[in-house]
Amino acid sequence: MPLLSARDQDYLRKRFAEELVDPVTITLYTQRLAQLQLPGYECATCREANELYSELAQLSEKVKLEVVDFLQAQAEARTAGVTDIPTAVFSGKNAGTVRYVGLPAGYEFAVLIEDLADLSRGTTRLTPLSRETLAKLPAPAHIKVFVTPT
């Protein structure tokens, strides 16, 4: 049974058709889905993350999903700055790196959809003042946003 309802899939299909300009790649670092779990390597939300990102990729030709087994590709994961799973690394027409650690559920899912559109366009909806202020930063910024389920 899909995580996204048919109504939500239709809505996202239309939205992606309108808003996605260039391709976006989601590289999902996860755990190989198997019946047996290795002690100490359990991933509470990997199965749902795999399913959710797979469903999103099926809604537009401009969304590509690459699934990487975290345990078998640890050097690649370290290079990508991935230390926890599931982690999705997004790439598109952007100057930085966007990562999402965990399962984007609830309000975070809406932010994820906005991020996909921004990455596809290569720009954000920041105000001119925000852009000007950020351009004055002396070095690249590493921004972390923490959310908690309520």
Side-chain angles (χ1 to χ4, degrees):
M1 182 169 170
L3 292 176
L4 298 172
S5 70
R7 190 176 99 190
D8 290 341
Q9 288 179 25
D10 288 341
Y11 168 79
L12 290 170
R13 220 178 260 108
K14 289 175 189 169
R15 185 159 176 197
F16 286 167
E18 293 171 4
E19 296 183 21
L20 299 185
V21 177
D22 289 319
V24 176
T25 300
I26 304 169
T27 304
L28 178 62
Y29 291 86
T30 187
Q31 173 175 63
R32 187 169 56 96
L33 300 179
Q35 297 297 324
L36 298 175
Q37 298 287 329
L38 295 174
Y41 294 99
E42 298 88 0
C43 177
T45 59
C46 282
R47 184 173 304 278
E48 292 84 1
N50 286 339
E51 189 172 337
L52 181 64
Y53 288 115
S54 293
E55 289 179 24
L56 283 176
Q58 292 172 16
L59 300 176
S60 173
E61 293 177 357
K62 292 183 179 174
V63 179
K64 180 182 175 193
L65 176 64
E66 297 174 354
V67 179
V68 178
D69 187 315
F70 179 75
L71 294 176
Q72 292 186 357
Q74 290 193 8
E76 178 185 336
R78 271 192 305 276
T79 300
V82 175
T83 57
D84 298 297
I85 55 174
T87 294
V89 179
F90 301 92
S91 56
K93 264 179 82 173
N94 60 319
T97 301
V98 176
R99 289 185 201 91
Y100 195 101
V101 181
L103 182 65
Y107 291 115
E108 292 81 35
F109 183 73
V111 173
L112 168 73
I113 301 305
E114 289 293 325
D115 287 345
L116 288 174
D118 288 348
L119 288 164
S120 178
R121 285 189 307 267
T123 187
T124 64
R125 295 180 183 142
L126 291 174
T127 65
L129 177 60
S130 294
R131 290 176 193 278
E132 184 180 312
T133 303
L134 290 169
K136 293 178 185 176
L137 291 176
H142 185 99
I143 300 168
K144 291 184 178 183
V145 178
F146 295 90
V147 296
T148 180
T150 53

